[in-house]
Amino acid sequence: MTVSLRKRDRAREHLIGLIETRAVGQAIPSERQLSADLGISRPTLRSVVDELIRDGWLVRQHGRGMFVGTPKIAQKIVGGPSHTGGAAYPPAPGTWTSRVLSHSVVPAGMAIGSRLRVKPGTPVLRIARQRLVDGEPMSLETIHVLDELVPGIDITAVETGSFYALLRDRYDVIPTEAEQIHEAAAADATEAALLGLTEGAPILTLERITRDQHGRLFEYTRASYRGDRYRVTSHLSLTTSPTRHHTRITPAPAAPGHP
């Protein structure tokens, strides 16, 4: 087993080294050639190649071979607050920018009102924005925040900086706690067009409800991420008392008209 793992590790390091010296779309040697060069079996090599394909490092094209792909953006989630009082996420790779698609103050409906624990009709600022990494569309976000907390918000600042930093620095609203749910879904026509996907392509959706330093629910956000370019990893502490940290798994809510 140890010898097998060492061979896998050596094959993975060799392949990543090849990938890093080539441009996206450039071919790499065949599995037959790589197997001979590394002195490992085809099944062992193929399992390593499959992992790299799954992570976006490689693309296999039937009848043509293997080519350098674009690895997925990996966003880590760790427990506990950040030192700035915002989300405890280390920066994801790449240069992230935003483009505001629309913004308006709308009355909260039943769904948004129930999530933010406010009466229907309460004014809510709704911002729809496209997030890009190195200029490539990566996600779509629709942010709902209580309008009374962000009077005269500078929408330009939402495009050029961190939304949570803007809340903290200008409005003294400090995000301190959030409940976040991730689900797999298929891109609808609008999502596909804005993310550069085909309709029905896999996406990762996120729903987040956030509290501020006073324990007040102030933000509800829904986001859609490209399934082919984005993944989430979690850091788990297994030594802390389970009374302090826990994971709750709940079934997805039924669609309207279904039990």
Side-chain angles (χ1 to χ4, degrees), residues 44 59 64 71 80 111 113 124 144 170 190 219:
T44 298
V59 176
R64 295 192 59 206
V124 171
H144 300 82
R170 180 167 179 177
T190 299
E219 177 215 21

Side-chain angles (χ1 to χ4, degrees), residues 230-251:
Y230 189 86
R231 66 179 179 181
V232 174
T233 62
S234 299
H235 176 78
L236 306 177
S237 174
L238 304 180
T239 59
T240 306
S241 168
T243 60
R244 293 182 56 192
H245 294 277
H246 67 276
T247 299
R248 181 174 62 190
I249 301 175
T250 57

Side-chain angles (χ1 to χ4, degrees), residues 101-121:
L101 304 173
S102 65
H103 64 93
S104 60
V105 177
V106 298
M110 291 293 292
I112 302 302
S114 66
R115 287 175 169 86
L116 296 179
R117 301 293 191 270
V118 296
K119 295 179 180 178

Side-chain angles (χ1 to χ4, degrees), residues 96-101 129 154-162:
W96 287 72
T97 55
S98 300
R99 182 167 71 93
V100 172
L101 304 173
R129 65 175 180 172
D154 180 4
I155 294 298
T156 302
V158 177
E159 290 190 325
T160 57
S162 163

Side-chain angles (χ1 to χ4, degrees), residues 111-147:
I112 302 302
S114 66
R115 287 175 169 86
L116 296 179
R117 301 293 191 270
V118 296
K119 295 179 180 178
T122 299
V124 171
L125 174 64
R126 181 172 63 196
I127 302 172
R129 65 175 180 172
Q130 182 187 51
R131 307 293 312 279
L132 304 99
V133 177
D134 299 331
E136 182 180 1
M138 186 62 58
S139 72
L140 304 173
E141 290 183 344
T142 303
I143 302 168
H144 300 82
V145 60
L146 295 176
D147 184 58

